[in-house]
Amino acid sequence: MGSKTLPGNDIRVVQWATGNIGTRALRAVIEHPGLQLAGLYVHSPDKAGRDAGELAGIGPVGVPATGDLAEITALGAQCVLYMPARFDADEVCALLESGANVVTTCGEFHRPAGMDPALRDRVEKACAAGGASVYSTGSSPGFITEALPLVLTSIQRRLDRLAIDEYADLSQRDSPDMLFNLMGFGQPMAEFDDMRAAYLGASFGPSLRLVADAIGIPIDEVAAHGEFAATPRELTIAAGTLAAGTVAAQRVTVDALRDGEPVLRFRANWYCTKDVEPAWDLRDTGWHISLQGDTPLEIDLVFPIPLERMAETSPGYTAHRAVNAVAAVVAAPPGIRTTVDLPQVIAQLG
């Protein structure tokens, strides 16, 4: 079994992929006082060979991008920030076996106990071979479904329900294919696709179960369902026009149930207008957390950003959590690590 090399002043990090979140993470690594960019993996052939700093939009840093996995594993970096469009077990296991710890915004590792047993066994063997750790995090799921609930429940002695509502105003998102074709805005009202609800249940359920495990609340099952609301009149948004009576808001509720009652809940509320039928309590983009118990709390976290700037700003909410977790994951014992295992993630901002 491999063993850990504890981080020094500069942890050598590879950034994997340069999508919206990956590019923000790349910039954060370059500018971080305790991290050193060791390499950059890119999927597009036209990006290979280009300087990482230029791809991050901040000028040359002397690190060329590569599309070769072998070049990445040969770098001897202490951590890879793995942020591809799709999770690939072969890639992750190769990184871990090479001795690189992995912090990823892919959601496969939020709760090891709920993973596919074959995948879990394979990844754990890779961790042991390389003496490395892997950790899934981000803003949602991650920060809002794990880190913050664990802090908020630390002042409770009886929890009846913890509910997280996520709100996203998409009216200024100029992405017609995503909104109209993938998400179904502007389509005639119909029954919500059970498969889409189940997908979010699989994405957020592990986080809810992880918190339930940590605070000692047994969960019988995780259930998810979705619903639509319509615009009562023709509506023009950045992506196009929605006819009156078509889908203008949708929400998916993921419940962790005990004795048939939701004890932990995550609900995603996506909308193009707050004026919908039936009427919903739709708030500005951000999160609302409600704790019911012996020390109840109601908390609003609002993104104080003009909607026109949301697309350029919002990737940081996911990318920065992962970047800030690097040091803790590098120092952690080998294996699949969770928010419960790790110490509190503290940003190094100096």
Side-chain angles (χ1 to χ4, degrees):
M1 179 182 293
S3 61
K4 282 279 190 178
T5 299
L6 296 181
N9 292 331
D10 290 313
I11 302 173
R12 300 181 69 243
V13 176
V14 168
Q15 174 59 40
W16 186 289
T18 52
N20 288 337
I21 294 170
T23 299
R24 180 57 59 89
L26 173 61
R27 191 179 312 150
V29 169
I30 293 170
E31 296 173 345
H32 195 288
L35 305 180
Q36 177 187 350
L37 184 69
L40 173 64
Y41 183 90
V42 292
H43 291 101
S44 303
D46 62 338
K47 292 183 179 180
R50 295 178 60 187
D51 188 274
E54 292 178 351
L55 291 173
I58 56 177
V61 295
V63 176
T66 180
D68 187 336
L69 172 60
E71 290 185 18
I72 294 297
T73 57
L75 290 170
Q78 292 161 290
C79 189
V80 175
L81 283 163
Y82 183 75
M83 300 175 177
R86 291 180 179 83
F87 172 80
D88 187 308
D90 291 340
E91 293 172 345
V92 169
C93 287
L95 294 171
L96 293 167
E97 289 167 356
S98 77
N101 301 280
V102 174
V103 178
T104 180
T105 50
C106 297
E108 275 68 19
F109 307 108
H110 282 281
R111 182 175 177 265
M115 290 176 60
D116 173 76
L119 175 61
R120 179 180 177 179
D121 181 64
R122 182 184 178 192
V123 172
E124 286 180 333
K125 288 179 178 177
C127 289
S133 301
V134 59
Y135 173 57
S136 287
T137 191
S139 59
S140 178
F143 168 76
I144 198 62
T145 55
E146 296 171 7
L148 191 57
L150 290 170
V151 170
L152 296 178
T153 54
S154 70
I155 58 171
Q156 311 289 325
R157 284 310 306 152
R158 190 194 78 246
L159 179 68
D160 300 325
R161 180 179 298 180
L162 187 155
I164 302 160
D165 271 282
E166 179 172 286
Y167 298 95
D169 183 339
L170 302 174
S171 62
Q172 299 304 309
R173 184 72 176 265
D174 191 7
S175 303
D177 185 59
M178 182 187 78
L179 265 66
F180 297 136
N181 297 328
L182 295 179
M183 300 186 72
F185 287 106
Q187 299 298 318
M189 292 286 285
E191 292 295 319
F192 200 93
D193 185 350
D194 289 341
M195 292 294 292
R196 289 182 61 198
Y199 176 81
L200 259 76
S203 297
F204 289 90
S207 269
L208 299 182
R209 283 187 177 273
L210 179 75
V211 172
D213 292 344
I215 62 178
I217 293 180
I219 296 300
D220 301 323
E221 64 172 322
V222 171
H225 69 275
E227 53 197 320
F228 291 125
T231 175
R233 58 190 62 82
E234 184 175 280
L235 174 68
T236 299
I237 60 174
T241 299
L242 287 69
T246 62
V247 173
Q250 52 188 284
R251 64 187 179 194
V252 176
T253 303
V254 182
D255 283 329
L257 302 167
R258 181 182 61 184
D259 298 329
E261 294 294 325
V263 180
L264 301 175
R265 165 176 287 177
F266 175 84
R267 183 164 56 191
N269 301 265
W270 303 303
Y271 62 92
C272 298
T273 176
K274 294 179 183 177
D275 179 19
V276 293
E277 296 176 346
W280 288 354
D281 176 18
L282 294 173
R283 308 187 184 196
D284 292 343
T285 297
W287 294 296
H288 178 79
I289 305 98
S290 174
L291 283 89
Q292 301 171 22
D294 53 2
T295 45
L297 293 169
E298 297 287 332
I299 301 167
D300 282 307
L301 297 175
V302 178
F303 298 1
I305 304 159
L307 290 177
E308 296 79 8
R309 292 184 49 221
M310 193 66 70
E312 67 181 84
T313 306
S314 59
Y317 288 95
T318 295
H320 295 168
R321 171 79 183 173
V323 171
N324 289 336
V326 166
V329 175
V330 170
I336 303 171
R337 304 272 68 94
T338 72
T339 299
V340 175
D341 302 322
L342 296 176
Q344 182 176 344
V345 172
I346 299 176
Q348 185 181 350
L349 302 176

